[in-house]
Amino acid sequence: MSRTQLSIPVGLLVENVLTSGESKEVIIECLQRRDYSRLLPLVKESAMDFDERLQTAADIGDDWEKAIRQGYEFKFLHINGLKRLLDFRFDRKVDRDYVQDELSLKHIQLTAEEIELLQSLIGRQWIVQAEETEAAEEGRTEDESSSHFPVCIQLKFP
């Protein structure tokens, strides 16, 4: 079964509403009713125009509801969209949590689960690679599976 694919505006809408902490069904119900009063005080970016993004989804056929329920991947994602995704999903910000080097993002600390999730969201276009560190060279124990690893995100086809 193929994953639902979303455009940047619709994917970032999904990411923003997920930051509310509300259940998926509550989020879907609010978006279907176009009543955002419950979500707006809770989301990371309350200035986002939900109506405009829902209209974009309708116009181009992005299934945001299925994406919220079952997950999705971006059809395409530029570097600034990637940085917004990192902020929404993982609370990682450029110059605070990682550095940008042209079209690469480096030194992002993520858990193994976060790396897997990120790769599933952006894997059509971007690759998430472990960065070499002294700790990685010494080897890790299985108890460290929840610890953070430094990764670099690069375009697959520069």
Side-chain angles (χ1 to χ4, degrees):
M1 182 169 84
S2 65
R3 295 177 60 88
T4 300
Q5 294 182 358
L6 297 181
S7 62
I8 293 170
V10 180
L12 293 178
L13 167 67
V14 167
E15 291 301 322
N16 193 21
V17 297
L18 289 174
T19 68
S20 71
E22 293 288 352
S23 72
K24 292 176 180 179
E25 291 309 313
V26 165
I27 291 169
I28 290 168
E29 182 183 328
C30 290
L31 294 179
Q32 286 173 335
R33 288 193 336 251
R34 294 196 179 218
D35 175 5
Y36 317 122
S37 57
R38 184 169 177 175
L39 300 176
L40 285 175
L42 303 173
V43 297
K44 190 164 219 164
E45 191 177 303
S46 59
M48 180 180 281
D49 188 336
F50 290 5
D51 282 325
E52 180 182 308
R53 288 172 188 252
L54 289 170
Q55 187 59 53
T56 297
D59 291 348
I60 63 177
D62 276 5
D63 191 345
W64 59 266
E65 188 175 330
K66 183 178 177 188
I68 290 173
R69 284 197 174 101
Q70 300 175 9
Y72 72 98
E73 66 183 354
F74 281 93
K75 294 176 191 175
F76 168 82
L77 190 62
H78 54 63
I79 189 82
N80 288 328
L82 177 57
K83 292 188 294 189
R84 287 185 72 197
L85 171 64
L86 289 169
D87 185 22
F88 283 138
R89 184 60 74 122
F90 306 109
D91 192 32
R92 302 298 193 283
K93 294 186 183 294
V94 70
D95 298 328
R96 183 190 79 187
D97 301 304
Y98 60 91
V99 294
Q100 181 173 350
D101 180 12
E102 296 183 20
L103 291 179
S104 295
L105 304 178
K106 298 180 176 182
H107 314 306
I108 307 166
Q109 296 287 325
L110 297 172
T111 66
E113 294 79 18
E114 290 170 336
I115 293 167
E116 186 176 332
L117 172 61
L118 181 61
Q119 189 64 54
S120 75
L121 292 169
I122 66 172
R124 292 172 54 88
Q125 182 180 356
W126 298 91
I127 187 159
V128 182
Q129 297 176 197
E131 291 179 331
E132 291 300 317
T133 63
E134 287 182 27
E137 290 167 10
E138 292 171 12
R140 295 184 180 273
T141 65
E142 290 192 23
D143 278 356
E144 293 174 319
S145 60
S146 66
S147 62
H148 290 74
F149 303 92
V151 296
C152 174
I153 304 171
Q154 297 178 290
L155 278 172
K156 280 187 174 179
F157 313 105

